[in-house]
């Protein structure tokens, strides 16, 4: 009598038991469901306004009349507009001050945190100013630096010096606005740089100390070169944010005195919502977009942000 041999059949890759194509299809639908809110938000609040703004930049458009096509007329007007060039000059001056001071201070804080303490409490304290909104920070410093009632000028007068017109002097207004934003953002920037410092192998510093290198030499020959990718990323993000400064200026000076703090974003806002020249304001916005794209591309290319010396 022949006995029957029982064989166990293994489910194939496309078997319903394993899920197969049906499961991959379900995963795709689920993934699309999860990214749908972000995708819709991107289209509605970024892509569509961008395309609409580019279209309006070629039109003459106010709230009272429909947009009418004028071609490059807005851009030709912009090239001969002295207020635009002054706003661009003021913005660049602000960016230079803000980025220069913020990067140096943040780098010093990051190095001190790495060398002295890595306490979570200290990181929280460093990040605390970033949790304050720009409007609240601007109002606070507006009071602190007021020429008549501000506590800073009271202290300056207490040591026998003349009060400093932080908000009403053409010389001091942009450095004052830059310092307000440096105070708010330096902690966030420092934490980004601190994360980059954590990725540098400590063995390199130990080897350098064995060879007799000091702190300055190690910072110049080890820290800065290996921190370059993170530093380049931080600079790109900071420059983009600095060119878009608006709320601090709007709360404190509104572009004064004598247009000495009228940054480009303030000029765009005034054209759009004070003079209702939405076509010209859109052309200014497109010009700002092009400036940021050129600066970002050049900085990314020349700083070699995508390459690391650790490899």
């Amino acid at each position: 009598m022949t006995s029957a041999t029982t064989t166990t059949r293994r489910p194939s890759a496309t078997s319903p038991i394993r899920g197969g194509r049906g499961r991959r299809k379900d995963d795709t639908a689920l993934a699309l469901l999860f990214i749908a809110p972000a995708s819709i938000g991107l289209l509605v609040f970024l892509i569509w306004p961008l395309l609409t703004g580019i279209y309006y930049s070629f039109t003459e458009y106010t709230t009272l009349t429909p947009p009418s096509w004028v071609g490059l007329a807005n851009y030709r007007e912009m090239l001969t507009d002295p207020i635009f060039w002054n706003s661009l000059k003021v913005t660049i001056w602000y960016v230079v001050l803000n980025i220069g001071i913020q990067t140096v201070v943040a780098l010093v804080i990051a190095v001190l945190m790495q060398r002295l303490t890595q306490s979570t409490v200290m990181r929280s304290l460093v990040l605390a100013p970033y949790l304050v909104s720009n409007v609240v920070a601007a109002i606070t410093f507006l009071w602190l630096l007021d020429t008549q009632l501000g506590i800073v000028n009271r202290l300056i007068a207490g040591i026998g010096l003349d009060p400093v017109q932080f908000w009403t002097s053409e010389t001091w207004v942009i450095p004052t606005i830059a310092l307000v934003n440096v105070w708010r953002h330096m902690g966030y920037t420092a934490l980004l740089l601190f994360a980059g410092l954590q990725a540098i192998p400590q063995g390199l510093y130990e080897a350098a100390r064995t060879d007799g290198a000091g702190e300055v030499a190690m910072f110049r020959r080890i820290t800065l070169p290996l921190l370059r990718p993170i530093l380049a990323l931080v600079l790109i993000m900071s420059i983009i944010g600095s060119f878009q400064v608006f709320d601090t200026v709007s709360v404190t000076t509104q572009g004064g005195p004598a247009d000495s703090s009228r940054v480009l974003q303030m000029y765009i806002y005034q054209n759009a919502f004070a003079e209702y020249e939405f076509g010209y304001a859109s052309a200014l916005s497109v010009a700002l977009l092009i400036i940021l794209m050129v600066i970002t591309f050049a900085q990314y290319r020349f700083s070699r942000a995508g390459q690391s010396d650790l490899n």
Side-chain angles (χ1 to χ4, degrees):
M1 185 174 180
T2 305
S3 60
T5 304
T6 303
T7 59
T8 303
R9 183 180 178 184
R10 305 180 65 182
S12 62
T14 59
S15 172
I17 299 176
R18 296 287 299 273
R21 294 184 180 176
R23 183 159 192 177
R24 286 198 297 270
K25 191 173 183 180
D26 292 342
D27 289 345
T28 301
L30 185 61
L32 292 175
L33 180 64
F34 277 121
I35 67 174
S39 300
I40 294 173
L42 180 68
L43 291 173
V44 173
F45 298 108
L46 184 63
I47 303 300
W48 176 250
L50 174 63
L51 297 177
T52 304
I54 293 175
Y55 167 71
Y56 284 154
S57 70
F58 296 100
T59 66
E60 182 179 351
Y61 177 45
T62 65
T63 55
L64 302 178
T65 59
S68 59
W69 187 266
V70 294
L72 297 175
N74 288 324
Y75 292 96
R76 286 194 293 267
E77 179 183 354
M78 181 177 59
L79 293 177
T80 58
D81 184 0
I83 301 179
F84 163 73
W85 292 108
N86 180 73
S87 299
L88 182 59
K89 181 182 71 174
V90 170
T91 305
I92 292 175
W93 174 228
Y94 164 79
V95 170
V96 170
L97 287 176
N98 184 47
I99 298 303
I101 299 173
Q102 182 183 151
T103 303
V104 172
V105 173
L107 187 57
V108 170
I109 294 174
V111 172
L112 289 177
M113 283 197 300
Q114 186 197 34
R115 289 285 190 269
L116 302 179
T117 178
Q118 299 185 13
S119 169
T120 305
V121 175
M122 288 301 301
R123 297 182 208 175
S124 302
L125 293 176
V126 167
L127 189 61
Y130 186 73
L131 303 179
V132 180
S133 69
N134 282 328
V135 173
V136 173
I139 293 174
T140 302
F141 277 92
L142 183 63
W143 292 341
L144 291 174
L145 302 178
D146 183 80
T147 306
Q148 302 297 328
L149 304 176
I151 187 173
V152 174
N153 269 313
R154 291 294 183 91
L155 294 175
I156 292 175
I159 60 176
L161 300 178
D162 294 331
V164 179
Q165 298 180 350
F166 292 102
W167 302 112
T168 57
S169 168
E170 296 182 22
T171 303
W172 281 101
V173 63
I174 285 297
T176 302
I177 294 172
L179 288 175
V180 172
N181 287 290
V182 166
W183 173 83
R184 183 177 179 270
H185 291 91
M186 65 180 180
Y188 177 74
T189 305
L191 287 183
L192 292 178
L193 296 175
F194 176 76
L197 291 173
Q198 295 296 99
I200 300 177
Q202 294 300 311
L204 296 177
Y205 294 104
E206 296 174 2
R209 290 191 187 94
T210 303
D211 292 338
E215 291 292 331
V216 175
M218 288 191 293
F219 178 78
R220 185 166 54 90
R221 296 180 181 273
I222 298 176
T223 303
L224 279 182
L226 298 183
L227 194 62
R228 177 178 45 77
I230 299 297
L231 189 59
L233 175 64
V234 167
L235 287 175
I236 290 173
M237 294 171 56
S238 300
I239 288 176
I240 292 175
S242 297
F243 264 95
Q244 298 178 15
V245 61
F246 170 75
D247 35 17
T248 306
V249 178
S250 178
V251 169
T252 56
T253 65
Q254 297 184 351
D259 291 344
S260 57
S261 66
R262 193 204 296 254
V263 292
L264 197 51
Q265 281 280 35
M266 192 70 193
Y267 189 43
I268 294 172
Y269 173 83
Q270 290 172 343
N271 274 276
F273 300 104
E275 302 178 12
Y276 301 104
E277 294 289 344
F278 289 100
Y280 188 55
S282 298
L284 294 171
S285 300
V286 172
L288 178 59
L289 174 64
I290 294 173
I291 291 171
L292 289 177
M293 290 175 62
V294 171
I295 292 176
T296 301
F297 176 79
Q299 189 174 358
Y300 185 87
R301 181 71 179 271
F302 291 114
S303 64
R304 297 182 295 122
Q307 304 174 14
S308 174
D309 295 336
L310 286 172
N311 297 329

